[in-house]
Amino acid sequence: MNFVTLHSNAVKFSCSCINYMALIGEYIKNLIQLVFAPEKGWEDIEGRSLEDNAPDGISQRNAVHRSSNPEVEDQKAARDYYQCFLPLAALCGSSAFVRLFYSDALDFLGAFQRALITFVTLFLASQIARFGFLYYLPRLMRTGMEISRARVLNMIMYCLTFLGMITLMSNIVKVRIALIEFLPFYVIFIIWKGWKYLGVDERHEGIFMILATALILGSVYIISFILNSLL
């Protein structure tokens, strides 16, 4: 009986690991596509969302812009936040410990401080950006279009994960590369190409890009500056 129970638990654990790896893999695949082809990336994310949430017998081609079941879309976005975004943010922060192998100027406490600052910055930025989006975005939406909390969270997650990956690269690459210093500004292009995904009115495209950049990129720099000053 104990062997059967142990075997059953092992199978369940293996299945959970496989499902989790598939979830992370899908998230990273979406991120890579957003980096290399932002507009197509947002379209594909939207298309997969519509396919997952459309009622049986309704094809993606006949689906409306908004999910037929917003609650399901919100649940999936929340799942990605806790199971994909936060673990990847922790991974990006933990990459600071790699510097211990090649930097004599950094000790364990300094590496831990860097890791903590990176994670807390990404976490707080996600909350601040989400609050700002939900407050200001309804004024920029197309007529009759309701704001999707799930899509707002998706945009924030992917953009912040991209910024976290830049931090990871700067930590694991021993030689300083000037290009890495400018990569964070590429997130502006990713944000700009996502205005249709969120349902923003074309007339407010420029305002949206400025607002979203300030909320996502600006909050990261401000929080990071404050934390570095305090610690």
Side-chain angles (χ1 to χ4, degrees):
M1 183 65 180
N2 291 335
F3 175 78
V4 174
T5 303
L6 181 63
H7 177 72
S8 177
N9 291 335
V11 171
K12 291 180 181 178
F13 178 75
S14 300
C15 292
S16 299
C17 290
I18 293 173
N19 291 334
Y20 182 70
M21 293 303 296
L23 181 65
I24 286 285
E26 181 73 15
Y27 185 87
I28 294 176
K29 184 183 75 173
N30 291 338
L31 178 63
I32 293 174
Q33 188 172 13
L34 286 173
V35 172
F36 290 99
E39 186 171 5
K40 184 67 166 57
W42 289 122
E43 290 177 356
D44 288 347
I45 292 174
E46 178 181 15
R48 281 189 287 270
S49 175
L50 292 175
E51 285 180 342
D52 292 341
N53 295 291
D56 295 337
I58 302 296
S59 64
Q60 176 185 341
R61 182 178 302 176
N62 297 324
V64 293
H65 178 77
R66 285 285 171 252
S67 167
S68 58
N69 194 341
E71 292 184 1
V72 174
E73 196 174 9
D74 290 343
Q75 291 174 0
K76 290 185 177 181
R79 177 201 62 187
D80 289 345
Y81 182 81
Y82 290 108
Q83 298 186 17
C84 296
F85 171 73
L86 290 181
L88 288 175
L91 175 64
C92 294
S94 299
S95 65
F97 291 101
V98 177
R99 288 178 172 265
L100 294 174
F101 295 100
Y102 65 82
S103 177
D104 296 331
L106 190 68
D107 56 7
F108 179 83
L109 185 60
F112 179 78
Q113 180 177 312
R114 281 175 174 264
L116 184 63
I117 289 176
T118 298
F119 178 78
V120 173
T121 296
L122 293 175
F123 172 73
L124 291 180
S126 69
Q127 299 301 314
I128 294 174
R130 185 168 179 263
F131 175 80
F133 267 92
L134 295 179
Y135 182 78
Y136 287 105
L137 195 58
R139 310 174 188 182
L140 309 179
M141 301 292 287
R142 293 199 295 268
T143 304
M145 186 72 67
E146 294 183 1
I147 186 173
S148 170
R149 295 175 179 268
R151 297 189 182 197
V152 165
L153 186 56
N154 282 336
M155 171 166 284
I156 294 170
M157 284 191 298
Y158 284 116
C159 290
L160 290 178
T161 303
F162 173 70
L163 296 176
M165 289 297 178
I166 296 174
T167 301
L168 184 146
M169 285 190 296
S170 65
N171 285 330
I172 65 176
V173 176
K174 182 177 181 180
V175 180
R176 183 177 180 181
I177 302 176
L179 179 61
I180 295 181
E181 305 295 331
F182 295 95
L183 278 179
F185 296 100
Y186 184 74
V187 78
I188 300 175
F189 186 64
I190 298 176
I191 292 172
W192 173 44
K193 291 298 182 180
W195 67 275
K196 291 182 181 178
Y197 172 72
L198 292 182
V200 174
D201 193 313
E202 188 174 2
R203 296 173 298 176
H204 303 313
E205 179 183 347
I207 299 176
F208 162 75
M209 186 176 66
I210 296 173
L211 176 64
T213 300
L215 288 172
I216 295 176
L217 190 61
S219 62
V220 168
Y221 279 107
I222 292 174
I223 294 172
S224 179
F225 174 77
I226 293 174
L227 292 178
N228 278 293
S229 300
L230 295 176
L231 299 179

